[in-house]
Amino acid sequence: MTLKSIFGAALLGVAVGVLPMMAPPSFADSLRVVRSGTSSSLSVPMNRAVVVESDVPFAELSIANPAIADISSLSDRTIYVLGKSPGLTTLTLLDATGKLITNVDVRVAPDLSEFKERLKQILPNERIDVRSANDGIVMSGTVSSSQRLQRALDLAERYAPERVSNLMVVGGVQQVMLKVRFAEMQRSVAKSLSANLQIQGDGTYIGSGAFLQPRNDTGGLVVDGSKRTGLFSFDAGAFQIELLLQALETKGMVRTLAEPNLSALSGQEAKFLAGGEYPIPVAQDGGEISVEFKPFGVELNFVPRVVDGDLINLELATAVSALDQANGYSDGTLTIAAFSRRETSTTVELRDGESFAIAGLLQDNFLDNNSQLPWLGDVPVLGSLFRSVDYSRSQSELVVIVTAHLVTPTRGEALALPTDRIKPPTEQELFLFGHVTSGAKKQRGAAGEVAKQDFTGSYGYVMD
């Protein structure tokens, strides 16, 4: 390498090290944000135009985002602004020398004037506030029912599809107490009349029915001991005549009453069961036996919805069931009871305090049975001795009534419990006087009236 090249390289290195210190200030430090003029804001409805006027003549206009708003000058003081899509952009005005006059924030939002007008026409008495947020609609306030809230949201979706924010709340009472009365009355009547004739002589036997049998070895008639009531016996020469008359009448009545009450929040499901669960074996694959529990008793499931003021929509299912051993299953080693069950499931609408009969049944069964000895039973008058007649009739009446109430919480002192009317007796009251209960504690108001009742009078609980 020559001396000249070495000296040139050294000078180049010195120049590279000295140049950063001798460089002028950066370009960014030479810029400043122009803040002269008055900054303001302008709201423009989407798909609509507004005309604004400047106090100072301008020479040049510019818009930051033409996709949000479009502008044009009508004169040196008048500007035409068209809202194209929701958003925020900036409009800049410059004078003839290029000096900034002002920056204007242009906010384009959906046109809510028509929506507010339609909302006021459809729901005139609702306090609903409507605001725009970016490219959507924000709704707040208090409405009287969930049904009207949904109407307002459906209308807002027509103006801003999938861009509606719901901040509204439902006012008024939103808790429902359902009272169900399940009443059933069953009546049954059965009557039977039968006659059995038996004639026995030397080597002869004529008889009807299976109550009397031929003579035994001792010469007497064999009669079922349980059938001796109504037995008439007499001799006619060499013949012995026995007549067995039976008449039976039975009457029965069954009364079933259940009144489950249950409270729930509007739109929430509530369940009630007063009874138990009965184990039922179920065969599985492979021969194994598992046990499933089937509930029985008084059942109530419902979903209330307060749709408009005091109008309540009820989706409910109620049932009353009991074990029925008479119709059960048995294979000699295993016995499974059956169930007698009355249930209903429906959806109704009613107002606060109103009642609805949601189910009813009237059933009348009649059974008539006539048995007789062939030909002899058809003989007039005497044929009744060779004939048995019985009939049975059963009637059943069932009705299910529901009553809905809008309820609010109350103080615990205002409620009465079934245990409030009694308290355990002292040893003196139990052993000396034979009292099974002691005096009830003193209470006031309606709860006190219930507490004073005993088991021989009326019963129930208090609900205001």
Side-chain angles (χ1 to χ4, degrees), residues 224-279:
D224 187 357
S226 61
K227 306 295 183 180
R228 289 186 177 275
T229 303
L231 177 64
F232 301 94
S233 178
F234 57 92
D235 295 331
F239 296 94
Q240 183 178 10
I241 302 175
E242 293 194 356
L243 178 63
L244 178 63
L245 298 178
Q246 283 187 315
L248 180 65
E249 179 180 8
T250 59
K251 295 181 180 180
M253 184 178 67
V254 178
R255 177 179 181 267
T256 302
L257 177 64
E259 294 190 18
N261 290 359
L262 190 59
S263 299
L265 190 65
S266 176
Q268 301 297 318
E269 183 182 11
K271 297 182 179 181
F272 175 90
L273 172 62
E277 292 186 340
Y278 184 77

Side-chain angles (χ1 to χ4, degrees), residues 6-304:
I6 295 174
F7 182 73
L11 289 178
L12 179 61
V14 173
V16 172
V18 174
L19 280 176
M21 296 183 292
M22 298 177 61
S26 63
F27 182 71
D29 294 340
S30 64
L31 295 178
R32 64 185 179 87
V33 178
V34 179
R35 300 183 181 277
S36 61
T38 304
S39 179
S40 60
S41 62
L42 175 65
S43 297
V44 181
M46 189 173 61
N47 298 326
R48 293 198 178 187
V50 296
V51 178
V52 295
E53 192 174 59
S54 174
D55 296 334
V56 180
F58 58 86
E60 185 178 350
L61 297 175
S62 66
I63 190 75
N65 190 348
I68 295 179
D70 193 8
I71 60 172
S72 62
S73 59
L74 302 179
S75 67
D76 61 349
R77 291 176 180 269
T78 309
I79 309 170
Y80 179 86
V81 183
L82 173 64
K84 299 175 64 177
S85 62
L88 180 64
T89 186
T90 303
L91 171 64
T92 303
L93 284 70
L94 303 175
D95 60 9
T97 62
K99 186 178 181 181
L100 177 65
I101 298 176
T102 185
N103 284 323
V104 180
D105 292 332
V106 180
R107 184 182 300 276
V108 179
D111 184 14
L112 301 181
S113 58
E114 182 183 359
F115 171 61
K116 292 180 180 179
E117 182 179 353
R118 295 292 180 267
L119 188 63
K120 187 175 182 180
Q121 292 174 353
I122 297 175
L123 303 172
N125 299 323
E126 302 299 332
R127 297 178 296 173
I128 302 177
D129 297 328
V130 180
R131 298 180 179 88
S132 61
N134 197 5
D135 60 343
I137 297 177
V138 177
M139 305 179 66
S140 60
T142 304
V143 292
S144 59
S145 66
S146 58
Q147 186 181 35
R148 297 190 178 187
L149 182 145
Q150 188 60 43
R151 290 178 185 175
L153 293 178
D154 292 341
L155 181 61
E157 285 290 334
R158 302 296 298 270
Y159 290 86
E162 299 181 357
R163 300 192 306 275
V164 179
S165 298
N166 176 26
L167 302 180
M168 296 180 291
V169 296
V170 179
V173 180
Q174 295 296 307
Q175 295 184 106
V176 180
M177 189 197 75
L178 187 66
K179 178 180 180 181
V180 179
R181 285 177 290 172
F182 199 107
E184 182 180 18
M185 183 70 72
Q186 296 179 356
R187 294 180 294 270
S188 61
V189 176
K191 292 183 180 181
S192 63
L193 177 62
S194 62
N196 295 274
L197 180 65
Q198 182 173 261
I199 302 175
Q200 287 196 118
D202 293 337
T204 61
Y205 168 75
I206 301 175
S208 64
F211 300 107
L212 305 178
Q213 302 296 330
R215 294 178 181 272
N216 53 23
D217 296 339
T218 61
L221 292 176
V222 178
V223 182
D224 187 357
S226 61
K227 306 295 183 180
R228 289 186 177 275
T229 303
L231 177 64
F232 301 94
S233 178
F234 57 92
D235 295 331
F239 296 94
Q240 183 178 10
I241 302 175
E242 293 194 356
L243 178 63
L244 178 63
L245 298 178
Q246 283 187 315
L248 180 65
E249 179 180 8
T250 59
K251 295 181 180 180
M253 184 178 67
V254 178
R255 177 179 181 267
T256 302
L257 177 64
E259 294 190 18
N261 290 359
L262 190 59
S263 299
L265 190 65
S266 176
Q268 301 297 318
E269 183 182 11
K271 297 182 179 181
F272 175 90
L273 172 62
E277 292 186 340
Y278 184 77
I280 298 177
V282 178
Q284 304 291 335
D285 296 338
E288 297 181 356
I289 301 296
S290 64
V291 177
E292 293 184 0
F293 288 87
K294 181 179 180 61
F296 68 93
V298 180
E299 302 176 60
L300 173 62
N301 301 337
F302 80 105
V303 179

